[in-house]
Structure formats: structure tokens, C-alpha cells
Amino acid sequence: MFLSHLPRRLFRTFAGFTVAIILICTVRTIVVVLSNTRKLNHCDVHEGDEYIALSEARWEAMKKSLTFKTISYDDSNDVETEEFKRLLEYIIAGHPTVFQSRLVTYEIVANYSLLIRVQGKDKALLPYMLAAHLDVVPVVENQWSVNPFSGIEDEEGTLVYGRGTLDDKGGLMAQLSALEFFLARGRVPDRSFFLAYGHDEEIMGMDGAASIARTLSQQGVDRLHFVLDEGLLVLKGMMPGIDYNLASIGVTEKGFMDVNISVVYTGGHSSMPNKESAVSILAKAVEKLHVTQMPAEMDELADEPFKLLAPIAGFPMNFVFSNLWLFRPIIGYVASKDKTLQGIVRTTRAPTIFQAGAKSNVIPSSAWAIVNHRIHPRDSKETVLEHLRWTINDERVKIVAAGEYYKPHPVSPFDRSTSLPYQVVADTAEQLFENTISIPGIMVAATDTKHYLHLSENIYRFNPILAGQREIATIHAEDEFISRENYRRMINFYYHLFINADRTKLENRQTANDEL
Ligand SMILES: [Zn+2]
């Protein structure tokens, strides 16, 4: 009798449980959506105290900066030093108000880098620093549809092509243009600030940014309010169900490590193969580490964008984001399976070089490969090597960290209601970009900030560029370009940052709901 009722009882319990969960999720969604009091202030669009128009002179100045072939090469001895000197001369001559201002001092560091200091009124306030770089990556000229160093516009005149437009001469020239305007209007900042322009960022900044950091320390500058360097972008239409652009501010940077894995094994003539060879053993190891990535995990930083988007997302995304307690594992799983998003939730590894053999009829007695890692802030060199050993699980494979290694950077504060520097950067982005929400993110590429970590706990990596797939595809690739619209926004972003950075008190800001 009792047993015959069991399935029905079970079904009832299950149905009751499901209804309860749906009810809880719905109530939470409603509460979160109603909590949306977001109001964005946009600045004026007529040139004046609030806004810089993109005059032809400002646009031409940026275009001209693209014509200097300031390329960083991996074997850096043949850096085209004259081009760097000419670019510096051009920058200094092109911004007379900045370089002749009584508020400004500057010096050339390590021959080709530039450090500018703008003196603020209040010496008690900690100065901040904006960074950018003068160098660009090499080009494969025949893959470009235009000359990458000619500063040539498209037919409609809406954009300019050129190596460095997005990375990073656009940012550098926009900062200088904004400062020129700022000082020309007779403004004096309360807070002092630095502009730091390294010349070898693309080859790790060991000469430029490292020397700038040393120069600062020689001048007794050992603490900064914040550092803002190049970094993540304002992403256009990237998330289904979200009608907002996402101003993604890099609050940390992944580490970098190459690991050499090698096998030594009996070789011989190709007509008499053994059951195994150095190549086959190494190939097996590479296959294993390729399919078994390190574990993915949703942490506080990975959660934060979803919490911030919950009140403004459309259905069903608002339902999912308002109930991370239930959906977090699913979001984590989906992210871990996505080529681009997985970098947020795990350390990634990819075999990039595979070498063995020299002759087609000789079985090589050794084989080696390089596995490149981008280390998540929760991992370390040791945990990565340990996981690699565990995955390969073959003592015949030698595993050695090789070449350059950079630790993942500490995670800078990203709560807008408690961190003044983060609030300043996040607010400025929302002020300048319409229909945009600022979210914290992880920078997966390297920047010069590695040389500035000791100067502040508030290190941010952000490029104020509204970017769709088209822009993103051209970074470090062919036909890199920037639109007039984007360059105008960049100049205004930095101008407003100069103003907003004077804040000494937090403003009341809605923050992500911690109970999600
Ligand atoms: Zn760059």
C-alpha cells in the first residue's frame, strides 16, 4: 500500500520543490530589476568646458603619429631608433601648450621613452598616472590592403588605417590632445599626475616602462592614487539579451609562462620503427594537455559582471543573472567551453611550438614542444606545473619552465561604492559612452603595468574605444583602424578623467547586489 504511493509522493515533492525554486528566483529577479536606479550622465556635445570637438587639426595630428615606424622587434637590437626620436620630437612640437606649461615637467627616459608630470594645486593629494606606449608590433605588409604607416583614411573619411591606431598611438595622442585642451582652457588640476609613455611595451617593456618606474622611484614617487594603462575595450553588442555596451575595465592581468616539454627515446632508421618513439610519446602528452585544460571556476570577479547586469538585462537573462546561487555552475560551464570566455575562468594552456626530426628517413631520438600558459590570478607557477605533470602522467616526459615568466597581477579593487579610483574610471567610461555599463574584467594580454605594480594597489587597464568584432579582429593584425567617432570619444574620455580624478570623496553609487 505505502510503496505504491511512493512514486506519486516523490513526484509531488519534486514538483513542490521546483515550484518553490521558480518562485524564489522570480521574486529575486523582480527585486533586482526594481532596484535599478541607474541614471547615466552624459556630457555636452558642443565644444566648451565639457566637450572637445574632433577638429581636423586633432585628427591630422593623430594620423601623422602613425607614420613613424616605431616598431618593436623580438630580437630588439635593430629597433629603428631614429623613428622613435622623430616621434618624440613630433609629440613635443605638436603640443606646445603642454610642453611649455609652467605646470608641466618632462624628461626622456632610457633614450626613447617619455615621462611627463603635471603639477596639481594640492600637494597633499596622491598623484595618479596614465600610461601608453610609443612602439607598435611589426606588420606583414602584403597582408594589409593599405600602407600600414601612411595614415590613410577610408573613402568616406570616417576612419584611418594604420599600425598603432588601436594599440596604442590612438590612446597616447588622445591623452596629449586632451591635456593640451585642458591646459589651454586655463585649468589647473588639484591632483598631480604623470603620463608615462614607454617605447618597448610590445617586447615586455624591460627598457622603457622599467626605466620609467626607476625614474619615479629616484624622484621619491613610491605611491600613486591609481595607474590607468591600455587594456580592455568598450564591447559593443557582445552579450545576447543585453542592450548595453560593456566598458570592460581590466582589474588584473593574467600571468605568462612557457613550459618546455621534451622526450629523449631510442631513435634509428625509419624502416625499423619501435612501438613508440620520442615523437609519439610527446604527441600523446601534447594531446592530453590540450584536451584536459586546468579547472574552470567562477570567483568573485567572474560573478561581478553578471551581478551588475542583472537589473538591466532582458528576460530570460535577468532571471539567470539574478539567481547566481542557482545558475553559477551553468554559467561557469558555458564560459569554460567558449574559446574567448574561458580565459576569465581558468588558466589556459596551448602548445605553440612542436619540434623533432631533421631527416625523413631517421627516427629522431628527441622531441620537444613549448606550451604557452596564461595564468589566472588564483594560480601560480607551481600549481600550473603540478597540473601539467598530473595531466601528462608520464615520467619519460621532462617538464621544465622555460623562458620568460610573469606572475599574474593582483586583483585591484572593483567595488564602485568603496573604491574611489575604480569609481573614477568606471564613472568616466559611462559618462562618455552612451548606453554603457562599466564592468570589471581580466586582461589576458600583457601591458606595461607589470612594471608599475609596486606603485599602487589600484591598477586599471582600459582603452576607451567602442569596439565590435571588426575592431577587435585587427589588433596586432592587418588593417588596424580607428574611427573618427572613437578617437573623439577617446580624447573626451581622458579630458573628463583629468577632471574626475580630482575627486577626493566617493560619490554614492549603486553597487552589485552581494546576495546574488
Ligand atoms: Zn599595446
Side-chain angles (χ1 to χ4, degrees), residues 60-310:
E60 289 299 321
M62 198 278 291
K63 280 168 58 182
K64 172 87 179 161
S65 75
L66 303 170
T67 63
F68 299 91
K69 292 187 177 176
T70 50
I71 303 169
S72 274
Y73 295 100
D74 268 335
D75 36 12
S76 56
N77 288 333
D78 54 354
V79 168
E80 297 177 33
T81 52
E82 278 311 305
E83 291 290 299
F84 281 90
K85 285 191 175 153
R86 286 179 49 227
L87 175 58
L88 287 177
E89 281 162 20
Y90 171 71
I91 285 173
I92 292 167
H95 302 92
T97 313
V98 172
F99 290 95
Q100 289 163 28
S101 165
R102 60 178 180 81
L103 301 176
V104 173
T105 48
Y106 69 94
E107 59 192 295
I108 310 287
V109 177
N111 297 319
Y112 316 109
S113 288
L114 178 62
L115 177 63
I116 301 168
R117 184 194 170 99
V118 181
Q119 183 63 52
K121 274 184 278 201
D122 189 343
K123 289 196 173 150
L125 295 177
L126 268 185
Y128 65 97
M129 184 162 89
L130 303 186
H133 59 91
L134 297 150
D135 60 326
V136 296
V137 287
V139 293
V140 184
E141 219 149 317
N142 59 17
Q143 288 179 358
W144 282 65
S145 57
V146 295
N147 177 342
F149 296 102
S150 60
I152 201 164
E153 290 187 38
D154 66 347
E155 269 176 28
E156 299 78 35
T158 56
L159 58 86
V160 62
Y161 293 104
R163 173 58 88 224
T165 44
L166 297 176
D167 181 16
D168 184 30
K169 284 179 179 168
L172 182 142
M173 293 300 286
Q175 289 171 13
L176 288 164
S177 205
L179 183 58
E180 181 81 6
F181 180 84
F182 182 92
L183 295 172
R185 288 191 81 84
R187 280 184 178 266
V188 181
D190 291 339
R191 200 186 281 282
S192 300
F193 59 92
F194 295 94
L195 302 178
Y197 301 146
H199 68 271
D200 58 349
E201 187 279 333
E202 298 292 359
I203 47 171
M204 297 298 169
M206 302 312 283
D207 195 23
S211 301
I212 289 174
R214 270 196 298 278
T215 305
L216 287 170
S217 103
Q218 280 156 11
Q219 294 174 0
V221 180
D222 55 6
R223 255 187 88 209
L224 293 172
H225 185 42
F226 66 88
V227 175
L228 177 67
D229 200 348
E230 61 171 337
L232 300 174
L233 305 162
V234 185
L235 304 172
K236 187 162 51 177
M238 290 286 169
M239 231 192 221
I242 310 280
D243 293 332
Y244 284 72
N245 304 312
L246 305 179
S248 187
I249 297 163
V251 297
T252 181
E253 190 170 303
K254 291 185 98 176
F256 177 106
M257 175 166 69
D258 281 336
V259 177
N260 180 302
I261 61 172
S262 60
V263 177
V264 175
Y265 201 77
T266 318
H269 196 273
S270 62
S271 60
M272 293 175 286
N274 277 317
K275 215 169 136 199
E276 286 187 293
S277 71
V279 170
S280 77
I281 296 167
L282 187 70
K284 250 182 244 159
V286 166
E287 170 63 10
K288 278 193 216 165
L289 65 89
H290 196 70
V291 295
T292 314
Q293 289 282 338
M294 289 193 67
E297 202 179 296
M298 290 288 286
D299 53 17
E300 217 183 311
L301 175 55
D303 277 357
E304 184 76 3
F306 299 108
K307 292 180 182 173
L308 290 166
L309 294 173

Side-chain angles (χ1 to χ4, degrees), residues 23 142 322 393 412:
L23 211 64
N142 59 17
S322 299
N393 193 24
S412 296

Side-chain angles (χ1 to χ4, degrees), residues 289-395:
L289 65 89
H290 196 70
V291 295
T292 314
Q293 289 282 338
M294 289 193 67
E297 202 179 296
M298 290 288 286
D299 53 17
E300 217 183 311
L301 175 55
D303 277 357
E304 184 76 3
F306 299 108
K307 292 180 182 173
L308 290 166
L309 294 173
I312 55 166
F315 185 80
M317 291 305 182
N318 54 3
F319 187 79
V320 173
F321 298 167
S322 299
N323 292 284
L324 288 183
W325 63 279
L326 183 63
F327 293 108
R328 184 180 286 112
I330 299 170
I331 294 175
Y333 179 79
V334 172
S336 76
K337 295 290 165 203
D338 183 275
K339 181 177 138 185
T340 319
L341 293 180
Q342 61 166 328
I344 299 169
V345 286
R346 69 151 60 98
T347 292
T348 55
R349 61 185 175 210
T352 48
I353 301 177
F354 195 105
Q355 287 277 331
K359 231 171 159 272
S360 72
N361 62 351
V362 177
I363 297 170
S365 56
S366 66
W368 60 272
I370 296 288
V371 187
N372 180 256
H373 291 79
R374 300 301 169 122
I375 307 172
H376 193 277
R378 88 177 148 260
D379 286 323
S380 65
K381 184 177 184 175
E382 289 70 34
T383 58
V384 169
L385 285 171
E386 184 52 42
H387 194 271
L388 200 54
R389 273 185 220 109
W390 175 83
T391 310
I392 293 175
N393 193 24
D394 184 341
E395 280 177 2

